[in-house]
Each structure stands twice: as structure tokens, then as C-alpha cells.
Amino acid sequence: MTAKATSGKAPAQRAAADWSVSPVGRVAAPLRDQAITVLRQAILNFEIRPGQRLIERKLVEELEVSRATVREVLARLASEGLVTVIPQRGAIVSVLSAAEAADIYEMRVALEVLAVQRFVERASPQQVRELRRALTGYQRAVRQKAGGTNRDLQAKDGFYEVLLAGADSPPLAQMLTILQSRVRLLRATSLSVPGRAEVSVRELTEIVDAIEAGDVQRAARACTTHVRNAARTGMNRLAELAGEQE
């Protein structure tokens, strides 16, 4: 999926037209699920920018699915917070305000610190080893640079999956699942900034080192530092993206 050039067009035209998505494949997964994956990834990769319109006709043509499927896809992404449906105007890629982003980062601090604390208290030795392996996978993705931000995101998702499994807290997992798409959008925002992924590796390494040492307070501090630094980078990048839309 590639975004098309925007030079020479008015902002309103860019918002309506300057994006494209690939048609979904014909594999075992339902077409709806494939279409959700394709469009979600285009949003998270900023191939379709915040504020841009998602025109049903264009999506039907490019995804090569029915209008009914497109409407199901948009409804699903709206429930995840990635798409906003505006009466009389249709769907757009959601725009996180600075206040909303700040609140989500604060929620991340509270929830992820709790996840780290519970992991130290409840994870088995095997799960601790799995967390170290997940960190190594993230380091490898960042170092190789292949696949760009998308591969980094997938590797980091793997790290947090292991962390939540070891935390063994269904209520905590449920709360983070509700926030997942918005958190991932903010994570994509911060990781798209040059150098941030490498710093993130060092911060996660500090968290894992503290977990392996069984030091709850040190792990919590390292987690807080990680999210706060991501917030600083992400908020600055969001401001830049907002300026590009003006």
C-alpha cells in the first residue's frame, strides 16, 4: 500500500482523494477480516492520514469487496477508535486531539506499570525467559530496519502479549484491549520518529533486567520512564502531523 503525492491539491481535495489501499487476497480468512486488516494497517502506517475521508465507493473499488463489507469494516474500525463516522459526511480517519493523546498516555502509565508489577509477582520462570526472547525479537526488528515501523510494531506487540500473559490479570488485559488500537496508533506515531525505536529498545531492556532481578520498584520506574518518553515523542509528532494537515 502506498500513499500518492499531494502537491498541487487543496487540503479538502487531499483529504478526500490522496490515499489508496491494496485489494484483499482470496485466502481462507473471511473477506471482512482481510479488509479490516488492510485498512487498519494503512491507518497505523499513516498511509491514510488522520482527518482523511474514507469514501465507500473508493474502498469498494480498491479493496474489491462489497459495499456491505466496507460498511462492516468501517463500523469495526470505528469501534476501535481508528475511524470516526460523522453524520452527513461519512467516515474519516480519527484525529486524536492533544488532550485525548495525553489522557491515553497517562492511562498507559498506570496500566502498564501495573502489568509490570503483576508480571514480577506472578510470572513463571518460563514466562520471564519468554519475555527476554520477545525483547530480543524486538531488538532484531529494530536493528535490521526491514519492514519499517510496521515490523517494529509487530515485534513490540509480541513483547506486550508476553507481558500481559505473565501478569495473569484478566481485568487488566481487558482494559488494555479496549485501548489497544489507540495505544497502537500512538505507538506507531512515536516509533515513526527517527531514533525513537532504538531508545525504546534500551528502555525495554531496563524493564526486563529489573524483572529478572525481581525488583518491582525498579521495573515500575523503568516502565514509567518508557511511557513518559514515548509520550513526549508522540505528542511532538502529533503536533507536526496536525500542522501538515493545515
Side-chain angles (χ1 to χ4, degrees):
M1 295 174 291
T2 57
K4 299 178 183 177
T6 60
S7 60
K9 292 185 180 181
Q13 292 175 308
R14 289 202 301 270
D18 284 353
W19 53 266
S20 64
V21 292
S22 301
V24 300
R26 296 298 187 266
V27 296
L31 288 178
R32 179 197 59 201
D33 293 347
Q34 294 180 63
I36 288 170
T37 298
V38 168
L39 191 54
R40 181 192 288 122
Q41 205 56 63
I43 292 170
L44 291 174
N45 286 348
F46 299 106
E47 293 164 10
I48 311 177
R49 294 299 188 94
Q52 287 191 300
R53 289 181 59 203
L54 297 169
I55 303 168
E56 282 190 9
R57 173 180 47 77
K58 182 177 174 65
L59 289 170
V60 167
E61 294 172 354
E62 297 204 353
L63 292 171
E64 298 181 3
V65 296
S66 69
R67 187 176 293 272
T69 297
V70 165
R71 288 176 178 170
E72 288 183 45
V73 168
L74 293 176
R76 169 65 178 275
L77 295 179
S79 72
E80 295 179 5
L82 294 179
V83 167
T84 300
V85 178
I86 302 175
Q88 312 305 320
R89 287 190 56 195
I92 66 168
V93 177
S94 296
V95 180
L96 283 176
S97 69
E100 289 170 331
D103 285 347
I104 291 170
Y105 277 120
E106 286 301 314
M107 293 169 75
R108 274 192 63 190
V109 170
L111 294 173
E112 291 183 20
V113 165
L114 180 58
V116 165
Q117 291 171 331
R118 292 294 182 262
F119 189 95
V120 174
E121 296 165 358
R122 299 172 178 175
S124 68
Q126 175 62 26
Q127 288 172 318
V128 174
R129 289 191 292 270
E130 289 174 3
L131 190 67
R132 174 63 71 176
R133 283 197 292 270
L135 172 61
T136 299
Y138 180 50
Q139 289 173 314
R140 186 180 304 115
V142 171
R143 184 171 59 249
Q144 292 177 346
K145 303 292 185 183
T149 301
N150 184 39
R151 181 169 176 178
D152 293 350
L153 280 170
Q154 291 175 342
K156 200 167 188 184
D157 286 347
F159 177 88
Y160 279 99
E161 286 171 8
V162 176
L163 182 70
L164 278 178
D168 192 24
S169 173
L172 179 58
Q174 183 179 27
M175 291 302 297
L176 283 168
T177 297
I178 292 171
L179 284 175
Q180 183 178 23
S181 290
R182 292 177 179 87
V183 167
R184 204 167 190 269
L185 182 58
L186 290 175
R187 189 172 289 148
T189 303
S190 62
L191 288 179
S192 68
V193 175
R196 174 57 199 163
E198 289 77 7
V199 173
S200 176
V201 167
R202 294 195 293 272
E203 292 167 354
L204 293 186
T205 299
E206 175 62 24
I207 294 172
V208 174
D209 288 347
I211 286 173
E212 289 176 338
D215 191 332
V216 176
Q217 292 185 347
R218 178 183 160 202
R221 288 195 301 270
C223 184
T224 300
T225 297
H226 171 61
V227 180
R228 295 277 187 225
N229 288 344
R232 188 178 305 109
T233 302
M235 295 291 286
N236 289 339
R237 180 61 179 141
L238 282 174
E240 292 174 3
L241 289 171
E244 292 173 8
Q245 293 293 315
E246 294 177 354

